Amino acid sequence: MFYCMNRQKTWHCIGGAALAVIIFTAGVMLKPENSPPAVSASNHEWGLSFQEENQPPVPNLTAEELAPYNAYYYYPKQQKRLYLTFDAGYENGNMPAILDALKKHNAPAAFFVVGPYIKENPDLVKRMAAEGHVVGNHTWHHPNMTQKSQQEFEQELKRVEELYQQTVGSPMQRFYRPPEGKFSEENLTWAKSMGYRTVFWSLAYVDWNTDAQPSKEKAFEKLLPRTHDGAIVLLHSTSTTNAAIMDELLTKWEEMGYTFGNVQELGQ
């Protein structure tokens, strides 16, 4: 049985060991080139198609199509390697447990934060940086960036950079995650011109609904069979399930032979 949810004309269907995402929005696909193709008005929402057990999913844009923009959704250069990422829109008390588990396992992660998160949680952001994690840019307001001009796009990212610099005392590393996975070729081009690597994902589950958190068993059922080499894992730091299972989840991945890489490796 599949569980399906309609989000912005996109049906996300999750069931068994597979994730199916059916995109109804039409758009021109990116063309793989040695350099970014001409910018068009085509907009996209990141989506993944049916996935076989422990194999990477098929995305709506391939790794080859994303590569000219320094954009990635998985990175299989090393076998048995995972890249842990967390989206952090606000703090509800779960981040310390997540950080504790990552520290216990010596596992680096990337935390994609919005501007207000830094403003309201400076000590947690400092801890992320001090413990070797990447603090990435998830924009200031978390808007649909496909609706922004280039000036507005750049300002959304620069405001976060400036506050991070003031808070931590060092420059923000240039990793960007589009809010809600919505992007255009223009967005990818602008992000690259600002020195950013755009980070999508190849492994996720329904962990963002704080009013309907999955059980530990359900989380493992969704994540473990779909784990694959080079996976960029998307998790949400607001999930009480993630906070509760993180130590055990990392242990299970290690028992499967996986190690944890830093997103700084992407493209290297």
Side-chain angles (χ1 to χ4, degrees):
M1 180 176 293
F2 284 90
Y3 166 78
C4 298
M5 180 178 67
N6 189 347
R7 295 181 64 205
Q8 300 295 326
K9 298 183 180 179
T10 304
W11 282 91
H12 295 253
C13 302
I14 301 176
L19 168 67
V21 179
I22 306 169
I23 304 298
F24 289 100
T25 304
V28 179
M29 300 299 283
L30 305 184
K31 301 297 183 183
E33 302 287 351
N34 293 327
S35 59
V39 171
S40 80
S42 179
N43 295 335
H44 306 275
E45 182 169 350
W46 185 246
L48 304 171
S49 70
F50 186 85
Q51 178 180 2
E52 295 183 6
E53 186 168 324
N54 296 128
Q55 296 297 317
V58 177
N60 55 330
L61 297 177
T62 69
E64 291 73 23
E65 291 169 320
L66 292 173
Y69 300 93
N70 290 344
Y72 306 88
Y73 82 98
Y74 88 123
Y75 196 64
K77 191 171 183 179
Q78 296 188 51
Q79 292 186 342
K80 292 294 184 177
R81 194 77 151 168
L82 303 179
Y83 299 91
L84 307 176
T85 72
F86 296 82
D87 284 0
Y90 62 94
E91 180 56 39
N92 62 354
N94 292 310
M95 186 68 81
I98 291 171
L99 288 169
D100 289 346
L102 293 170
K103 185 175 182 179
K104 177 180 177 180
H105 290 262
N106 194 30
F111 292 92
F112 289 93
V113 300
V114 294
Y117 189 94
I118 301 175
K119 185 176 182 179
E120 296 165 8
N121 305 280
D123 290 340
L124 284 174
V125 174
K126 290 176 184 177
R127 180 182 173 185
M128 294 171 193
E131 295 182 357
H133 304 298
V134 167
V135 181
N137 203 321
H138 203 34
T139 74
W140 188 273
H141 294 107
H142 201 267
N144 180 347
M145 294 291 271
T146 68
Q147 298 176 353
K148 301 297 181 181
S149 67
Q150 183 172 0
Q151 181 179 4
E152 291 169 332
F153 180 95
E154 293 177 353
Q155 187 60 26
E156 280 284 339
L157 272 61
K158 287 179 179 177
R159 285 190 66 187
V160 180
E161 293 174 14
E162 292 167 359
L163 182 58
Y164 179 86
Q165 172 87 47
Q166 295 168 10
T167 302
V168 178
S170 59
M172 189 174 215
Q173 298 186 65
R174 299 293 179 92
F175 294 90
Y176 164 62
R177 171 160 286 158
E180 299 183 12
K182 295 177 180 178
F183 66 101
S184 66
E185 288 112 310
E186 288 178 325
N187 291 167
L188 297 179
T189 300
W190 297 338
K192 182 180 180 181
S193 71
M194 295 176 70
Y196 277 92
R197 279 172 271 185
T198 299
V199 183
F200 294 105
W201 59 89
S202 62
L203 177 59
Y205 78 118
V206 183
D207 65 343
W208 59 83
N209 187 347
T210 56
D211 295 324
Q213 283 289 287
S215 66
K216 176 180 78 171
E217 293 75 18
K218 186 63 67 174
F220 290 153
E221 176 187 324
K222 298 301 183 184
L223 289 171
L224 297 180
R226 294 187 290 113
T227 302
H228 56 276
D229 289 355
I232 297 178
V233 185
L234 165 61
L235 300 169
H236 287 78
S237 65
T238 52
S239 167
T240 56
T241 298
N242 288 341
I245 71 171
M246 193 53 53
D247 182 20
E248 186 175 357
L249 177 61
L250 297 177
T251 298
K252 286 181 179 295
W253 274 329
E254 288 169 337
E255 291 172 349
M256 293 169 68
Y258 287 98
T259 59
F260 307 108
N262 193 307
V263 292
Q264 293 170 331
E265 297 172 11
L266 300 181
Q268 301 302 312

